[in-house]
């Protein structure tokens, strides 16, 4: 069974500052890794995913994440945030086989202050 | 751009009543999922559905829950006798038959059980 831990429930940052949202996972097998974003009153939207290959993956809206197998982490970063990045961010993992359900972390609320 | 839709956006019901939550997945997708998010908690997997049968279900998905694809376009989640603890946001998701498992989520239905 897998589990995902997002260490920060809330992260406030100023506009144009860099941000890192932390995610650690636990699994006895190889997994796919994902970051989803949820804007107010909307569904979950995929930001980026790690399947294999390069450990640095780039996603939409200038976000990127780095897979670190030894630390079982998949932290999300953006060098300069905008007001429009205010949202809830979810880290998730899934098995490589089968129905591939997503196992989510608790979410991190990113608040951008002007 | 194709999207997953869900109706209603908000459902209020009395404890013990039956509710049906409806989803229209993206038309060429083959795997369907229901997740729920109790307020303040993480998004949890309920059930996955493929080829007109359940692929996997969680321990949350007990005999009170059922899913159906009645007409080739809708995908429904029925709760037979709602409990207070069923109050949550319910998300539907769908994906193509792909190893990369990008699940597309609907906007959710907020279920309130009184």
């Amino acid at each position: 069974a897998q589990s995902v831990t997002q260490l920060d429930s809330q992260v406030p940052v100023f506009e144009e500052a860099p941000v890192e949202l932390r995610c650690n996972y636990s699994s006895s097998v190889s997994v796919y890794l994902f970051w989803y974003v949820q804007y107010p009153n909307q569904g979950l939207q995929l930001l980026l995913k790690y399947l294999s290959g390069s450990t640095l993956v780039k996603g939409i809206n200038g976000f990127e994440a780095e897979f670190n197998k030894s630390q079982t982490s998949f932290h999300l970063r953006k060098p300069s945030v905008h007001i429009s990045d205010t949202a809830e961010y979810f880290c998730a993992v899934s098995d490589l086989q089968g129905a591939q359900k997503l196992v989510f972390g608790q979410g991190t609320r990113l608040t951008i202050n002007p | 751009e194709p999207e997953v839709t869900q109706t209603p956006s908000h459902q209020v019901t009395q404890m013990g009543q039956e509710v049906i939550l409806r989803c229209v997945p993206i038309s060429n997708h083959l795997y369907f999922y229901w997740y729920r998010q109790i307020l303040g908690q993480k998004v949890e997997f309920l059930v996955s559905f493929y080829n007109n049968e359940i692929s996997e279900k969680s321990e949350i998905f007990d005999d009170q829950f059922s899913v159906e694809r009645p007409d080739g376009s809708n995908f429904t989640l029925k709760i037979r006798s709602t409990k207070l603890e069923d109050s949550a946001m319910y998300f539907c998701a769908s994906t193509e038959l792909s190893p990369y498992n990008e699940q597309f989520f609907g906007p959710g239905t907020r279920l309130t059980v009184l």
Side-chain angles (χ1 to χ4, degrees):
Chain A
Q2 297 98 25
S3 66
V4 178
T5 302
Q6 291 181 244
L7 297 166
D8 306 298
S9 60
Q10 295 188 59
V11 173
V13 295
F14 288 106
E15 195 172 15
E16 298 183 8
V19 70
E20 177 180 84
L21 306 184
R22 297 179 292 170
C23 172
N24 287 89
Y25 71 94
S26 172
S27 177
S28 57
V29 297
S30 296
V31 293
Y32 295 137
L33 294 153
F34 306 84
W35 275 99
Y36 280 83
V37 61
Q38 185 181 26
Y39 299 106
N41 301 315
Q42 295 187 29
L44 298 162
Q45 180 183 2
L46 183 67
L47 266 183
L48 48 78
K49 58 182 181 281
Y50 173 77
L51 307 175
S52 64
S54 172
T55 57
L56 182 65
V57 292
K58 294 188 184 297
I60 62 172
N61 301 339
F63 283 93
E64 63 182 33
E66 185 153 22
F67 169 56
N68 187 319
K69 189 172 183 179
S70 63
Q71 297 186 6
T72 59
S73 67
F74 190 54
H75 300 332
L76 181 71
R77 301 186 184 100
K78 186 170 182 177
S80 175
V81 295
H82 303 285
I83 292 282
S84 59
D85 293 322
T86 296
E88 187 99 18
Y89 292 80
F90 295 93
C91 182
V93 302
S94 78
D95 279 338
L96 306 188
Q97 305 294 334
Q100 300 178 328
K101 66 179 184 289
L102 291 168
V103 175
F104 285 90
Q106 297 92 326
T108 298
R109 181 168 298 279
L110 178 63
T111 305
I112 312 300
N113 299 306
Chain B
E1 184 176 329
E3 58 183 15
V4 177
T5 60
Q6 290 185 243
T7 54
S9 57
H10 192 189
Q11 173 94 45
V12 180
T13 189
Q14 296 291 325
M15 191 170 55
Q17 294 296 305
E18 175 184 287
V19 294
I20 297 176
L21 309 183
R22 291 182 169 79
C23 168
V24 179
I26 294 173
S27 61
N28 63 330
H29 285 187
L30 299 175
Y31 271 99
F32 314 112
Y33 307 81
W34 283 102
Y35 295 84
R36 79 171 186 192
Q37 184 181 28
I38 295 171
L39 190 63
Q41 298 185 24
K42 61 175 68 178
V43 178
E44 302 171 290
F45 167 77
L46 291 177
V47 65
S48 59
F49 191 85
Y50 170 70
N51 200 25
N52 283 320
E53 60 183 28
I54 290 174
S55 303
E56 187 175 355
K57 60 183 181 179
S58 72
E59 60 274 12
I60 301 168
F61 195 87
D62 62 22
D63 292 344
Q64 293 299 311
F65 291 88
S66 62
V67 289
E68 194 178 28
R69 188 155 162 81
D71 56 13
S73 61
N74 289 284
F75 178 51
T76 62
L77 174 68
K78 182 192 291 186
I79 309 175
R80 289 192 183 81
S81 178
T82 50
K83 307 182 186 72
L84 295 176
E85 55 265 36
D86 293 328
S87 295
M89 182 72 90
Y90 288 80
F91 293 104
C92 173
S94 69
T95 187
E96 293 178 277
L97 186 58
S98 151
Y100 301 132
N101 196 39
E102 178 170 350
Q103 293 184 23
F104 291 81
F105 283 79
T109 292
R110 180 165 296 286
L111 176 65
T112 302
V113 182
L114 302 176

